[in-house]
Amino acid sequence: MNKKLLYLLLEATLVFPFFPARAQEGPIQNISARENLGLDGNWHYMVDPYLTGQSSRYYRNVRPGSKSDFVEYDFGASPSLEVPGDWNSQDPKLLYYEGMVWYQRDFKWHPRSGRRYFLHFGSVNYEAKVYLNGKMLGSHRGGFTPFQFEVTGRLNDGDNFIVVSVDNTRRKEFVPTLNYDWWNYGGITGDVNLVEMPETFIADYEVQLARGDTSLISGRVRLNGPRPSGPVQISIPAAGIRIRALAGADGNARFTDPVRGLELWSPAHPRLYRVQIMSAGDTVEDEIGFRTITARGRELLLNGKPIFLRGVCLHDENPLIPGRPRSGADERMLLGWAKSMDCNFIRLAHYPHNESEARIADQMGLLLWEEVPVYWDIDWTSDSTLESAEDQLGDLIGRDKNRASVIIWSIGNETPSIPPRDTFMAKLADLAHRLDPTRMVSAALLVHDQGNHTIAVDDPLGDLVDVVSFNEYYGWYVGGISDIGKYRFRIPYDKPALISEFGAGALGGYHADSLTRWSEEYQETFYREQLRMIGGISGLSGTCPWVLVDFRSPKRLNPEFQNGWNRKGLFTSTGQKKKAFFLMQAFYEQMEARHPDP
Ligand code: GCB
């Protein structure tokens, strides 16, 4: 049993010795396709900077019964926040708030016998304690990945209420740690659902082409419940495919079957098939695309053919709110901006984005890099830090393993090589490979200046990843524009290489000559020089400028040009294109003409 599970069970047992919470092995796959009561919407909230709520038992949600009753809180009379959504963008008092906030909402439900119920959260940043009808269900740490609690037998027939305490205090041992270059948006940032399932149900499934093989479909279905063994069927009606498999006593059914005539998914042709997974008592449907992603020496191959990744980096932030996206429409808008630059690839930095984003990318024909927040210098020697990084990586892969768009799992960003970090990252690389042998594993590496303008990509982690990716800021943090052309890169790997970041800041609408920092002209010239330099790197598999849109960061304090925003966006914070956007767009159009998407 993994340690997180043990923690959940122990905690639940201590609080309710006679009724331990039953935490799951992993959240139910494809929640949005299940019978569910959506619990998004308005939740009451109370801000609790002094951590009074635990001892005052806010989770009991008591309301004064008469005028003379003494109760020092009242959810019902408190204001509300939209869920999903961060609190920072919904109440001006909370813009910089880091700490505890209590959420509460009522709902009506009539549980049916012979059915099982799960309370599922898409993401809560960072630590959540969840209570149903005054009793604790359990807790979860990690701000970006889903989790759930089984609530069978705990629902009232009729009126119910949930209370969640959410704490986004940054801590040294957390992942991410104390210091990072984005806004620490707190709150219930993902969807909340009450899900109804049969007693034995399809808890998880994976349906993909076998690694590098377009003639084999392979995967796994996992049943959960009192009758976990039995036949399962996977069918793809439009392709005339029907696969039968048998789940053993552990609930797992594995299969590998030949397929013929399947149209492959690609950015040029994002074909998705309706896939039906059936067991004796349960059926679930998904939309899945089929493609392979492999490497041959320095070439990256999609469906066996070379592809150049015309990428861009993106934070999970809608600048027009500004805050975490609150709907699929927000995400579609951001991905649409990337498409308008002729991108076929997006690096979702620096943490898991909302689950629906990869589904939208599947539909729009965008390839994705997904990442866990192992960012800069975290606590490499702490067991709990490693456990948290592993949990987040496992949960992300578990959530998005059926998405054709996702081709790269990134295990971290700019982590400086020292022995304990090398050991830590080797474990993550190994875990990602074990959990998903069909995709590429990468990390955004730091480079090292060997003198004479020679930049070596020589991080030992480069030996353990499948795609060598690196960030470089020559002409912005190092040297000026006129130096960019002098740099040469040494990339001593026979693997695909990718520039995972390069970029310069510009305040939209600020115009000056090309030597004036923060002007659109400086940024434009920086891009022109960078693209010339990058053009000299032979065999590169892609580029990802930093970053598509200006984003909020409390580290960016230049009052004239930044004002709490990282200004390296190709779009401004109001959604306007900067001059450099058009240069990048022209470059990508040329690249597409030279290397059309397979
Ligand atoms: C980086 C980081 C990214 C920062 C960016 C910057 O190297 O990976 O998170 O936001 O530089 O703007 O400095």
Side-chain angles (χ1 to χ4, degrees):
M1 186 186 311
N2 86 21
K3 288 190 209 150
K4 181 171 85 174
L5 241 174
L6 189 67
Y7 166 69
L8 288 171
L9 285 173
L10 269 179
E11 185 172 75
T13 316
L14 289 176
V15 179
F16 304 108
F18 306 113
F19 199 167
R22 291 156 69 190
Q24 291 286 294
E25 295 118 306
I28 296 168
Q29 187 60 228
N30 193 9
I31 280 293
S32 59
R34 306 306 182 120
E35 201 58 49
N36 65 43
L37 173 68
L39 293 172
D40 290 348
N42 290 326
W43 289 54
H44 293 294
Y45 74 102
M46 296 192 296
V47 185
D48 183 19
Y50 288 8
L51 310 182
T52 307
Q54 197 64 41
S55 54
S56 297
R57 303 198 206 177
Y58 289 177
Y59 54 86
R60 292 175 64 198
N61 186 28
V62 171
R63 285 176 186 162
S66 76
K67 280 202 287 186
S68 59
D69 277 0
F70 176 63
V71 186
E72 279 190 292
Y73 69 91
D74 185 351
F75 278 112
S78 297
S80 59
L81 288 171
E82 222 179 282
V83 169
D86 59 87
W87 64 57
N88 314 70
S89 62
Q90 298 191 54
D91 177 347
K93 287 200 301 295
L94 297 180
L95 177 60
Y96 280 94
Y97 183 70
E98 295 185 305
M100 181 78 88
V101 171
W102 290 77
Y103 283 74
Q104 185 273 345
R105 76 159 286 163
D106 297 318
F107 66 97
K108 283 195 194 299
W109 191 252
H110 300 284
R112 297 190 287 164
S113 68
R115 311 294 282 178
R116 291 171 68 187
Y117 296 93
F118 297 84
L119 191 55
H120 181 280
F121 292 82
S123 57
V124 178
N125 190 35
Y126 183 90
E127 180 164 12
K129 289 201 168 82
V130 182
Y131 306 82
L132 176 67
N133 297 327
K135 295 192 175 138
M136 189 184 192
L137 296 175
S139 61
H140 179 265
R141 280 184 180 169
F144 308 97
T145 40
F147 59 95
Q148 72 185 22
F149 300 100
E150 178 157 13
V151 296
T152 313
R154 298 182 156 216
L155 289 158
N156 298 329
D157 186 23
D159 293 331
N160 291 273
F161 67 90
I162 310 175
V163 171
V164 184
S165 71
V166 184
D167 187 352
N168 74 333
T169 306
R170 285 167 295 117
R171 297 190 199 283
K172 179 170 175 280
E173 71 279 14
F174 283 1
V175 183
T177 183
L178 296 167
N179 186 25
Y180 45 86
D181 188 22
W182 68 85
W183 209 266
N184 179 20
Y185 287 115
I188 305 180
T189 50
D191 298 322
V192 186
N193 283 292
L194 177 69
V195 194
E196 181 181 289
M197 305 297 270
E199 277 198 326
T200 299
F201 62 92
I202 298 163
D204 194 14
Y205 56 84
E206 194 177 329
V207 186
Q208 293 190 66
L209 291 176
R211 178 172 171 78
D213 192 339
T214 55
S215 68
L216 286 179
I217 207 160
S218 95
R220 187 176 68 101
V221 177
R222 181 167 59 79
L223 305 181
N224 173 316
R227 289 175 298 285
S229 52
V232 300
Q233 185 177 301
I234 299 94
S235 62
I236 310 176
I241 293 171
R242 187 180 298 169
I243 300 168
R244 293 174 207 281
L246 199 62
D250 65 351
N252 280 302
R254 291 175 200 282
F255 57 88
T256 300
D257 263 53
V259 282
R260 233 182 294 142
L262 209 54
E263 287 174 43
L264 298 178
W265 183 100
S266 75
H269 183 66
R271 171 73 158 104
L272 296 175
Y273 285 94
R274 189 166 63 83
V275 178
Q276 242 179 5
I277 297 120
M278 278 169 284
S279 67
D282 192 16
T283 300
V284 59
E285 284 194 2
D286 207 338
E287 295 275 320
I288 298 182
F290 298 92
R291 51 101 197 93
T292 59
I293 185 79
T294 49
R296 182 175 58 207
R298 290 183 171 228
E299 282 181 319
L300 188 66
L301 309 176
L302 182 78
N303 298 328
K305 300 192 191 101
I307 182 155
F308 183 84
L309 300 176
R310 307 188 304 275
V312 73
C313 300
L314 179 69
H315 265 292
D316 199 20
E317 183 181 78
N318 177 352
L320 307 181
I321 293 178
R324 290 268 180 256
R326 296 188 201 158
S327 67
D330 287 3
E331 282 151 4
R332 208 172 271 281
M333 175 188 84
L334 294 166
L335 300 187
W337 290 357
K339 268 221 125 158
S340 73
M341 204 166 78
D342 202 29
C343 289
N344 63 3
F345 177 62
I346 305 190
R347 175 180 175 207
L348 300 184
H350 281 297
Y351 40 76
H353 292 207
N354 201 294
E355 180 170 353
S356 55
E357 197 153 343
R359 288 184 175 275
I360 297 170
D362 269 8
Q363 293 161 10
M364 292 175 72
L366 283 163
L367 298 158
L368 295 181
W369 154 309
E370 294 199 339
E371 186 161 306
V372 286
V374 175
Y375 182 91
W376 291 350
D377 214 0
I378 66 170
D379 197 349
W380 306 115
T381 54
S382 147
D383 287 347
S384 77
T385 305
L386 176 62
E387 201 178 296
S388 169
E390 288 181 337
D391 283 347
Q392 294 189 51
L393 182 60
D395 290 344
L396 173 63
I397 295 176
R399 191 190 76 179
D400 288 353
K401 58 183 176 263
N402 291 308
R403 303 284 71 83
S405 50
V406 181
I407 53 167
I408 295 177
W409 302 120
S410 164
I411 56 173
N413 178 74
E414 293 186 349
T415 55
S417 173
I418 48 168
R421 169 277 191 183
D422 294 349
T423 312
F424 188 111
M425 295 306 280
K427 289 185 179 153
L428 290 189
D430 178 53
L431 179 66
H433 281 125
R434 273 188 289 121
L435 290 176
D436 185 358
T438 73
R439 289 178 174 82
M440 302 280 120
V441 174
S442 192
L445 304 178
L446 289 165
V447 290
H448 143 232
D449 191 340
Q450 293 188 312
N452 269 339
H453 295 98
T454 303
I455 308 303
V457 185
D458 57 2
D459 183 326
L461 184 53
D463 292 325
L464 305 182
V465 293
D466 307 309
V467 172
V468 175
S469 311
F470 59 94
N471 299 352
E472 55 91 2
Y473 282 90
Y474 297 97
W476 183 253
Y477 291 125
V478 188
I481 284 182
S482 51
D483 298 314
I484 298 175
K486 300 177 192 157
Y487 289 98
R488 296 284 168 272
F489 286 85
R490 209 170 59 73
I491 312 172
Y493 303 92
D494 190 29
K495 301 179 182 188
L498 187 66
I499 302 192
S500 36
E501 281 181 34
F502 67 98
L507 178 64
Y510 174 57
H511 296 286
D513 63 57
S514 63
L515 290 177
T516 305
R517 292 245 177 190
W518 305 110
S519 70
E520 288 200 35
E521 287 70 18
Y522 187 104
Q523 191 190 38
E524 183 187 35
T525 312
F526 168 95
Y527 268 82
R528 185 171 294 120
E529 292 300 312
Q530 276 277 346
L531 293 177
R532 193 173 296 150
M533 175 184 76
I534 288 168
I537 306 176
S538 77
L540 208 59
S541 287
T543 45
C544 269
W546 184 261
V547 55
L548 184 67
V549 195
D550 287 356
F551 61 95
R552 268 192 159 151
S553 168
K555 296 173 79 68
R556 306 294 175 171
L557 293 176
N558 180 315
E560 207 178 337
F561 300 112
Q562 294 177 303
N563 233 329
W565 289 82
N566 183 316
R567 296 288 185 197
K568 296 192 190 69
L570 292 158
F571 279 83
T572 68
S573 51
T574 55
Q576 306 302 308
K577 293 167 181 146
K578 300 185 195 171
K579 289 181 106 176
F581 169 93
F582 298 100
L583 212 86
M584 209 54 225
Q585 184 190 45
F587 173 69
Y588 279 165
E589 282 170 359
Q590 276 168 24
M591 291 309 281
E592 187 181 6
R594 240 183 280 159
H595 310 275
D597 289 336

